[in-house]
């Protein structure tokens, strides 16, 4: 089973060959923890969660080392603390708790390691010292900056030249910079800001050095895959690659770079000013289900923009609803757990993580003899865990068991109504069934009841 991935660094698909098949290593840039994760953040989480699952399937769960960091020292966090009057630690702890709850809701496995930047300040200082010694960084007015011109390959990852970037970029103009493109590795902190003692005085790290230091500490100087959103390609990933390559020359940092494209809402860029900005928690509070949100996030190839629409989300809910009914009628979850993932789904994921085609392959599992395969597919793609599948399938089975009695009752009421010419009881019972989320269809041959998405066996039991 060969996995092929598009490598941003080489601009082509490549057969994935880990450095060590017994220790496959992946780093994905995580959130800056000052606010709730939005749908765009969630897309990156879900994309690389599917890759994590695929790698675990191929190499074994104990042989994949996945790191996703928390940036818990940042000027946005400092601003939030100033605005609210709360302690920075309280804000970051709370936000990390929110993040875990929201990512759990959309089926994301916890990474192997979730380092906080503040736990690796010593490693950052040590890397900066190496960069200074090697002539790739310099101290100026309490700051330490990376000398971009000292790294000839700067810009190759994002496909830009330094001169073009200077001409078109909005970069910080500061008198202590030798070159406009030089970026901060360390900056001073006054008494009101978080700070750590360093050879350059009390200060805090720049954003880019954090990931380089944490990746090296947890995965080594070189590792297999580095992932994140396309918005991070420049400057964050470009800067990571530059400083890591200069601190550890000759080892290459990450072998494969992967970027997921951005998310739009109803054809427009997600923006608070447009009123189409949603956090994961917003959608859950509005009644969206975590599984349907995940399925929607996987409905487009990760290297293509995803347009989140109401229709797309409703379609995801209906797909899951129909799948659960099929499994409830014909499936056996104990058998399903023993199955290999569906061959069509695996083939799609092996070809540059084509989740769109994987979902199409899952949709073709619609026969009674494919119910177990379908259950295994829902679990493998992370749409529903085994515990969630068992709970939901049991609920559907209770509903299905109640339908014959309810249909008989409605049919009896209809026969009585034909005799009395009074259909009040029929209409009243149909209304109760509808409120309990059953679709009612009546024709001369009989009554057909179909469960809708939010059907509850307890409500139906009360109507028997």
């Amino acid at each position: 089973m060969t996995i092929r991935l598009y490598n941003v660094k080489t601009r082509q698909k490549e057969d994935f060959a880990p450095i060590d098949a017994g220790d496959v290593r992946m780093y994905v840039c995580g959130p800056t923890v000052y606010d709730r994760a939005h749908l765009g953040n969630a897309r990156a989480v879900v994309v690389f969660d599917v890759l994590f699952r695929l790698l675990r399937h191929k190499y074994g769960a104990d042989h994949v080392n996945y790191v996703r960091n928390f940036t818990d020292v940042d000027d946005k966090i400092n601003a939030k603390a100033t605005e609210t009057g709360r302690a920075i630690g309280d804000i970051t702890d709370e936000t990390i708790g929110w993040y875990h709850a929201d990512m759990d809701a959309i089926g994301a496995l916890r990474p192997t390691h979730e380092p906080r930047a503040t736990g690796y300040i010593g490693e950052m200082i040590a890397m900066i010292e190496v960069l200074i010694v090697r002539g790739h960084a310099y101290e100026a007015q309490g700051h330490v900056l990376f000398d971009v011109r000292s790294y000839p390959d700067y810009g190759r990852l994002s496909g830009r030249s330094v001169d073009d970037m200077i001409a078109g970029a909005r970069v910080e103009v500061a008198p202590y910079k030798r070159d406009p493109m030089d970026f901060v590795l360390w900056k001073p902190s006054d008494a009101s800001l978080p700070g750590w003692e360093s050879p350059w005085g009390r200060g805090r790290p720049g954003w880019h050095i954090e990931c380089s230091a944490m990746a090296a500490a947890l995965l080594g100087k070189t590792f297999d895959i580095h992932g994140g959103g396309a918005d991070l390609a420049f400057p964050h990933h470009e800067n990571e690659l530059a400083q890591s390559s200069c601190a550890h020359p000759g080892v290459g940092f990450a072998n494969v770079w992967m970027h997921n494209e951005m998310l739009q809402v109803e054809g427009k860029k997600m923006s608070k000013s447009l009123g189409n900005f949603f956090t994961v928690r917003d959608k859950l509070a509005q009644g969206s289900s975590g599984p349907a949100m995940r399925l929607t996030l996987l409905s487009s190839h990760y290297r293509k923009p995803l347009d989140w629409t109401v229709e797309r989300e409703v379609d995801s809910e209906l797909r899951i609803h129909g799948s659960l009914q099929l499994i409830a009628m014909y499936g056996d979850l104990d058998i399903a757990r023993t199955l290999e993932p569906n061959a069509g789904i695996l083939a799609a994921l092996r070809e540059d993580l084509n989740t769109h085609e994987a979902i199409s392959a899952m949709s073709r599992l619609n026969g009674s003899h494919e119910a177990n395969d379908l259950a295994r597919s829902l679990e493998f793609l992370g749409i529903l865990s085994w515990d969630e599948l068992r709970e939901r399938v049991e609920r559907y089975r209770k509903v299905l068991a109640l339908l014959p009695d309810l249909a008989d009752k409605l049919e009896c009421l209809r026969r009585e109504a034909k005799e009395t010419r009074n259909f009040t009881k029929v209409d009243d019972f149909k209304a109760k069934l509808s409120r309990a989320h059953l679709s009612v269809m009546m024709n001369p041959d009989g009554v057909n009841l179909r469960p809708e998405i939010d059907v509850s066996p307890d409500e139906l039991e009360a109507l028997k």
Side-chain angles (χ1 to χ4, degrees):
M1 181 182 82
T2 301
I3 296 173
R4 287 172 51 78
L5 300 173
Y6 183 84
N7 190 349
V8 173
K9 184 168 66 173
T10 61
R11 308 293 194 272
Q12 63 184 6
K13 287 184 188 179
E14 300 171 350
D15 290 352
F16 176 65
I19 299 165
D20 177 1
D23 182 22
V24 182
R25 288 162 284 167
M26 176 169 70
Y27 188 96
V28 175
C29 290
T32 299
V33 285
Y34 69 99
D35 208 346
R36 291 277 190 182
H38 57 69
L39 292 178
N41 303 139
R43 187 183 193 194
V45 170
V46 168
V47 164
F48 290 103
D49 180 69
V50 172
L51 180 56
F52 184 36
R53 291 168 184 267
L54 180 64
L55 294 173
R56 282 160 57 100
H57 173 71
K58 178 172 176 60
Y59 297 101
D62 295 334
H63 301 293
V64 182
N65 197 351
Y66 173 23
V67 176
R68 186 182 65 218
N69 72 291
F70 288 116
T71 293
D72 62 343
V73 52
D74 185 87
D75 288 344
K76 291 178 181 177
I77 302 172
N78 300 338
K80 187 72 171 282
T82 300
E83 175 190 339
T84 62
R86 299 180 63 198
I88 285 174
D90 291 344
I91 292 171
T92 56
D93 286 348
E94 178 183 60
T95 307
I96 289 171
W98 288 346
Y99 187 83
H100 277 147
D102 292 346
M103 297 309 107
D104 289 350
I106 58 173
L109 300 173
R110 298 285 176 93
T112 317
H113 303 283
E114 293 184 289
R116 297 190 186 198
T118 52
Y120 291 80
I121 300 296
E123 287 82 354
M124 296 175 204
I125 291 172
M127 182 175 279
I128 294 170
E129 289 180 307
V130 169
L131 289 169
I132 292 174
V133 169
R134 293 185 180 276
H136 296 291
Y138 58 93
E139 181 183 1
Q141 298 182 25
H143 294 74
V144 180
L145 296 108
F146 183 84
D147 182 358
V148 165
R149 298 285 183 180
S150 75
Y151 179 58
D153 287 339
Y154 190 84
R156 288 192 180 179
L157 180 67
S158 56
R160 312 175 186 207
S161 75
V162 175
D163 291 334
D164 287 344
M165 285 188 274
I166 292 173
R170 290 174 289 180
V171 295
E172 180 186 358
V173 178
Y176 47 78
K177 283 188 175 186
R178 294 178 184 172
D179 187 284
M181 290 305 297
D182 292 351
F183 58 89
V184 172
L185 300 172
W186 190 264
K187 51 190 172 184
S189 292
D190 61 27
S192 68
L193 294 171
W196 292 261
E197 293 304 322
S198 79
W200 320 287
R202 184 177 182 276
R204 61 199 191 278
W207 174 32
H208 313 298
I209 196 69
E210 297 176 7
C211 288
S212 285
M214 286 184 280
L218 293 167
L219 299 178
K221 296 175 183 178
T222 184
F223 54 94
D224 298 301
I225 298 170
H226 194 312
D231 58 323
L232 298 179
F234 183 84
H236 185 50
H237 287 171
E238 194 73 69
N239 292 352
E240 269 191 79
L241 177 58
Q243 64 203 8
S244 295
S245 298
C246 291
H248 310 297
V251 296
F253 195 41
N255 286 345
V256 178
W257 288 81
M258 297 177 65
H259 295 142
N260 65 277
E261 266 299 340
M262 297 296 97
L263 179 142
Q264 299 177 322
V265 176
E266 301 290 346
K268 297 180 180 178
K269 181 179 178 180
M270 190 166 61
S271 167
K272 290 181 180 179
S273 64
L274 294 175
N276 67 349
F277 181 92
F278 297 102
T279 67
V280 173
R281 185 53 45 179
D282 289 337
K283 296 300 295 183
L284 292 170
Q286 292 168 9
S288 298
S289 74
M293 291 173 66
R294 183 182 180 95
L295 186 56
T296 304
L297 290 167
L298 294 176
S299 61
S300 181
H301 192 283
Y302 78 93
R303 287 195 291 115
K304 294 182 179 180
L306 169 65
D307 189 14
W308 184 289
T309 65
V310 172
E311 290 79 9
R312 211 165 196 163
E313 189 179 353
V314 169
D315 180 66
S316 295
E317 292 280 12
L318 291 172
R319 283 180 187 232
I320 294 170
H321 174 64
S323 297
L324 288 169
Q325 288 192 76
L326 185 70
I327 296 166
M329 288 188 289
Y330 305 110
D332 183 328
L333 294 184
D334 291 330
I335 293 175
R337 293 188 74 150
T338 68
L339 301 178
E340 278 290 296
N342 175 264
I345 290 173
L346 281 176
L349 296 182
R350 288 198 305 265
E351 190 58 34
D352 195 28
L353 215 63
N354 192 339
T355 56
H356 174 77
E357 178 54 37
I359 290 169
S360 295
M362 186 175 71
S363 297
R364 293 192 286 271
L365 302 174
N366 52 25
S368 59
H369 62 289
E370 296 167 316
N372 292 335
D373 201 3
L374 179 57
R376 180 69 174 99
S377 300
L378 288 168
E379 188 276 335
F380 182 65
L381 290 170
I383 296 165
L384 289 163
S385 69
W386 288 119
D387 287 344
E388 290 170 326
L389 272 167
R390 193 167 296 280
E391 186 275 327
R392 293 194 181 205
V393 166
E394 287 304 314
R395 179 159 58 87
Y396 271 92
R397 283 175 176 162
K398 289 178 182 178
V399 168
L400 294 173
L402 291 168
L403 296 187
D405 288 344
L406 293 171
D408 286 346
K409 182 174 180 178
L410 183 57
E411 182 61 35
C412 287
L413 290 174
R414 181 169 68 165
R415 285 198 297 267
E416 292 176 8
K418 286 181 178 179
E419 294 176 2
T420 62
R421 297 297 184 185
N422 184 349
F423 285 84
T424 302
K425 290 183 179 180
V426 173
D427 294 338
D428 180 60
F429 192 59
K430 284 174 61 179
K432 290 177 179 177
L433 294 174
S434 180
R435 287 194 295 271
H437 302 286
L438 277 185
S439 173
V440 180
M441 287 161 282
M442 303 177 71
N443 57 53
D445 296 326
V447 173
N448 188 7
L449 303 179
R450 292 185 181 177
E452 296 176 349
I453 290 173
D454 295 322
V455 66
S456 164
D458 294 336
E459 291 181 31
L460 296 181
E461 183 71 39
L463 295 177
K464 282 178 60 180

